[in-house]
Amino acid sequence: MELSDLSPAESRKRKRSITTLTVFMVLIAVAFIISVNTGHIRLTPIELIKTLFGGGTDKQELILFEFRLPRIIISVLVGASLAVSGCVMQGLSRNALADPGILGINAGAGLAVMLYVAFFPTETVGSVMLLPILAWLGAGFVAALIYVLSLKKGEGLSPTRLLLTGIAVAAGISAATIVLTIRFTPEQYQFVATWMAGSIWGSNWKFVGSLLPFVIILLPFVCYKARVLNVLSLGDQMTIGLGASVEKERLILLAAAVGLAGSSVSVSGGIGFVGLIAPHLVRRLIGPQHQFLLPGSALAGALLVLVADTIGRWIIQPSEIPAGIVVAVIGAPYFLYLLARSKA
């Protein structure tokens, strides 16, 4: 549909949405340049360009290609995946507080990854590629459990029950995780503590390769289902009246959202609130139409995690603060604000 075929109001909304998406992409580019230069050794813009095209020194190439670039790419992929996952869950549940971290999806994925990493090596390519699959299975089990417990006979999915059930399940998994850590060695415990804080721990090209297939397949698929999400957000009765299969579409989209969240957790640890903050911010700027809300959430989430990871690496050099803690400093007050405003 051309802009000329739209009403003036719709045309303004579309232009505003495109402008917002463009601004997010520019901000990500700026954050990328800043993040590349965050560390003990700085790379000037000229050195960065030269190194990207093979003209840098061996030391500059090592810093850029083996340490910083993989971490930046993982931050962007994780942020986009968690944000889109949260956006889908909010649309499916019609609950503004839904988020893969709050609902316990991240905890389920993290428990599966933690068990595997604690008892098996993760340096081989085969084991690294297995991590997102294990995370997806763990997240899927928890999502199925929460979904079943949240169903209300004769009324379908209850948004309030979904939120409360997710919080309860997440608390139970956290308790199980603490019990398991008693049996860990000091080295294993240190990894678990780092993971639970939400650190971009899998920051090399093997982990990029393990995460990328999930993102390449699931992100475009979810965006393709944007119109279905628009219909589902109207309510079950309206959706059935329009001829859509409510449960089938809901389960397909839920599986995609769980896949995005679970695969992200396998390389980033328990970063919460991204799926809550990013969709809300973009919804205020763009509106509720998922054709723009989903890609906008992906860009906002990518920007949020990239900035959080950059701040965490910069603020107390040479040590670092996990990105999950930086995001939580922003996300926790925002969650309380939304909870206070919620009518659920």
Side-chain angles (χ1 to χ4, degrees):
M1 182 180 291
E2 300 293 335
L3 287 178
S4 58
D5 299 329
L6 301 173
S7 66
E10 291 174 334
S11 178
R12 285 194 298 271
K13 287 181 180 179
R14 177 162 293 193
K15 289 180 179 178
R16 181 179 180 181
S17 299
I18 294 173
T19 301
T20 302
L21 296 180
T22 303
V23 170
F24 275 127
M25 286 188 282
V26 171
L27 291 176
I28 290 174
V30 172
F32 169 82
I33 295 173
I34 296 173
S35 184
V36 165
N37 283 279
T38 300
H40 292 295
I41 300 175
R42 292 185 173 275
L43 298 176
T44 66
I46 295 177
E47 291 174 338
L48 172 61
I49 294 173
K50 287 174 62 178
T51 306
L52 284 173
F53 289 96
T57 65
D58 292 341
K59 186 176 183 180
Q60 289 171 341
E61 290 184 357
L62 178 66
I63 293 170
L64 178 61
F65 291 110
E66 297 301 325
F67 295 110
R68 295 183 186 173
L69 201 55
R71 184 162 184 159
I72 291 171
I73 292 174
I74 286 177
S75 298
V76 169
L77 295 178
V78 165
S81 299
L82 290 175
V84 170
S85 179
C87 184
V88 171
M89 290 181 182
Q90 289 173 17
L92 292 178
S93 64
R94 301 187 298 279
N95 190 327
L97 302 177
D99 165 79
I102 295 170
L103 295 182
I105 307 301
N106 289 359
L111 181 60
V113 172
M114 185 191 72
L115 289 172
Y116 180 76
V117 173
F119 297 105
F120 298 95
T122 59
E123 294 304 316
T124 62
V125 175
S127 63
V128 170
M129 297 300 291
L130 187 61
L131 285 178
I133 298 175
L134 291 172
W136 182 80
L137 292 174
F141 173 78
V142 172
L145 178 63
I146 294 171
Y147 184 82
V148 171
L149 294 176
S150 301
L151 287 174
K152 204 169 184 179
K153 191 173 181 180
E155 298 181 16
L157 188 67
S158 169
T160 303
R161 287 172 64 88
L162 178 70
L163 179 64
L164 296 177
T165 302
I167 292 174
V169 170
I173 293 175
S174 297
T177 301
I178 294 173
V179 172
L180 284 171
T181 58
I182 298 175
R183 302 178 59 88
F184 287 171
T185 65
E187 293 78 14
Q188 291 171 335
Y189 181 82
Q190 184 177 5
F191 164 78
V192 172
T194 302
W195 180 89
M196 291 177 68
S199 173
I200 307 293
W201 66 277
S203 54
N204 61 53
W205 291 111
K206 288 184 293 186
F207 289 95
V208 173
S210 70
L211 178 59
L212 202 57
F214 285 83
V215 177
I216 291 176
I217 294 172
L218 294 178
L219 274 183
F221 173 76
V222 171
C223 290
Y224 171 75
K225 289 285 187 177
R227 295 186 184 277
V228 175
L229 273 170
N230 288 338
V231 175
L232 289 173
S233 63
L234 299 175
D236 291 358
Q237 297 300 322
M238 182 68 73
T239 303
I240 295 172
L242 293 173
S245 176
V246 176
E247 292 305 321
K248 178 183 176 182
E249 295 292 349
R250 182 178 283 156
L251 288 175
I252 290 173
L253 285 165
L254 181 60
V258 168
L260 288 169
S263 59
S264 298
V265 168
S266 69
V267 297
S268 70
I271 299 180
F273 296 111
V274 177
L276 178 71
I277 298 173
H280 270 276
L281 173 63
V282 177
R283 191 177 288 111
R284 287 175 175 272
L285 296 173
I286 291 179
Q289 294 299 311
H290 285 86
Q291 291 91 330
F292 292 104
L293 181 58
L294 286 168
S297 297
L299 293 173
L303 178 64
L304 176 61
V305 175
L306 178 57
V307 170
D309 185 59
T310 302
I311 292 174
R313 288 190 288 121
W314 165 75
I315 197 167
I316 57 170
Q317 294 185 37
S319 300
E320 66 177 61
I321 300 175
I325 293 179
V326 179
V327 174
V329 169
I330 303 170
Y334 192 65
F335 173 68
L336 293 175
Y337 165 73
L338 292 175
L339 191 62
R341 291 192 58 187
S342 176
K343 297 179 181 179

